[in-house]
């Protein structure tokens, strides 16, 4: 399945990407193994519309903390939700 179709399927089932919703755009979360570019959002935090309304902040971990120290080639997604 294409990324676009996967996203559409999530929306059809009532799930939304908190990171993309918070920022109004895709947010790069992956460092490409070839060339080191950080241009793709491969990681998502899906939640219901009800829970999405309670999100106070949603962001990624810092590039420096994760990529420079070689912890991972993916950034963590960090969300604050007020329940």
């Amino acid at each position: 399945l294409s990324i676009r179709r996967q996203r559409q399927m999530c929306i059809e089932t009532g799930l939304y990407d908190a990171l993309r919703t918070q920022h109004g755009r895709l947010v790069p979360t992956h460092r490409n193994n070839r060339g080191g570019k950080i241009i793709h959002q491969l990681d998502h935090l899906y939640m219901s519309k009800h829970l999405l309304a309670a999100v106070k902040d949603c962001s990624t971990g810092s590039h420096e903390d994760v990529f420079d120290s070689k912890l991972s080639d993916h950034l963590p997604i960090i969300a604050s939700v007020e329940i």
Side-chain angles (χ1 to χ4, degrees), residues 51-69:
L51 190 56
L52 189 63
V55 172
K56 299 303 172 196
D57 185 57
C58 189
S59 60
T60 63
S62 93
H63 292 198
E64 295 80 18
D65 290 345
V66 177
F67 295 146
D68 293 352
S69 59

Side-chain angles (χ1 to χ4, degrees), residues 19-31:
L19 186 61
R20 183 176 185 165
T21 300
Q22 182 82 26
H23 293 270
R25 62 178 171 73
L26 290 173
V27 177
T29 61
H30 177 258
R31 180 181 228 162

